[in-house]
Each structure stands twice: as C-alpha cells, then as structure tokens.
Amino acid sequence: TEEGDTVLDPFAGSGTVGLVARRMGRRFVLIEKEAGYVDGIKARLSGKDVVDHIENTGDSVLDLFGE
C-alpha cells in the first residue's frame, strides 16, 4: 500500500494492523465482534498500554480481552 491508503482488517483482534497502519501513514478500518478486544484496541490506539489501562480502570486482563 501507499501512504494515505486505507487498510481493512476484518478480524482486528488486538489491533496490531491498525497500530502499524497508523505508524506507516495509512488509514485503517478495524472490525472486531468481541467487545473485550474492542476495549483493548481503543486503549492501544489511544497511546495507553494495557498496564496503564488496567491501573486506570480496574479492568483485569481477562476483562480486556473478553475471556
């Protein structure tokens, strides 16, 4: 892809494709049906790591990833 292109990840999981796309100047669309993963993706893409998210919200790692 070229800078500015849009990348689609229909199984976003932890959001790695979105994170890398952002770093490489691409736009991205992430699709994830599991709410726990969506929370983790939001935390990851907002610049917070999982430890900060857990400390600030009281969530457990299992809550973050829907287990």
Side-chain angles (χ1 to χ4, degrees):
T1 62
E2 300 293 326
E3 195 166 328
D5 284 351
T6 301
V7 177
L8 171 65
D9 184 359
F11 306 102
S14 64
T16 300
V17 169
L19 189 65
V20 172
R22 177 185 285 165
R23 288 180 183 167
M24 296 185 70
R26 274 69 170 168
R27 299 179 334 170
F28 55 92
V29 175
L30 305 177
I31 300 170
E32 179 55 57
K33 71 175 189 169
E34 299 295 331
Y37 282 103
V38 173
D39 292 340
I41 292 168
K42 287 179 184 177
R44 191 171 190 194
L45 293 177
S46 70
K48 301 175 189 172
D49 65 15
V50 173
V51 173
D52 286 342
H53 180 78
I54 291 168
E55 289 175 354
N56 292 329
T57 65
D59 287 344
S60 72
V61 172
L62 295 179
D63 291 338
L64 268 175
F65 296 102
E67 297 177 10

